[in-house]
Amino acid sequence: MVTIRLTRRGAKNQPFYDVVVTDSRIRQGGTTLEQVGYFNPVARKGEPKLKLDIARIDHWLGKGAQQSDRVKQLVKTYRAQATA
């Protein structure tokens, strides 16, 4: 099964996450099919906190990919910001 989930990057105490499309059987941080965005929970002034490629996420969802719970929340937030 294909999953859209977060993969942690960044240094100790400075988390940075890539939003990736990957096979659910592959461990976190392993090979991915595609990177569709990023999430920076500790973004400083002027830095974007969240960037997603909604068109590619919709493409993968149309092919049957499942989102993790956190990614569902992030996509919902991103869509709400885009319409506002």
Side-chain angles (χ1 to χ4, degrees):
M1 171 191 296
V2 177
T3 305
I4 303 173
R5 65 184 182 198
L6 297 175
T7 296
R8 184 176 170 150
R9 303 278 188 234
K12 184 176 177 181
N13 296 323
Q14 295 177 342
F16 186 88
Y17 299 93
D18 288 332
V19 181
V20 296
V21 178
T22 186
D23 189 331
S24 62
R25 297 171 291 183
I26 303 295
R27 67 180 186 85
Q28 180 186 2
T31 58
T32 63
L33 299 173
E34 182 177 0
Q35 180 181 346
V36 293
Y38 63 85
F39 172 55
N40 185 2
V42 292
R44 296 190 172 104
K45 294 179 184 175
E47 294 178 356
K49 186 172 185 171
L50 177 63
K51 175 135 176 53
L52 298 174
D53 187 353
I54 294 295
R56 293 303 296 167
I57 290 173
D58 289 340
H59 166 80
W60 283 104
L61 291 175
K63 297 237 180 216
Q66 299 294 312
Q67 298 174 347
S68 68
D69 293 336
R70 184 64 175 139
V71 170
K72 280 182 190 176
Q73 291 176 341
L74 292 174
V75 169
K76 184 177 178 181
T77 302
Y78 192 78
R79 287 183 198 269
Q81 288 176 355
T83 59

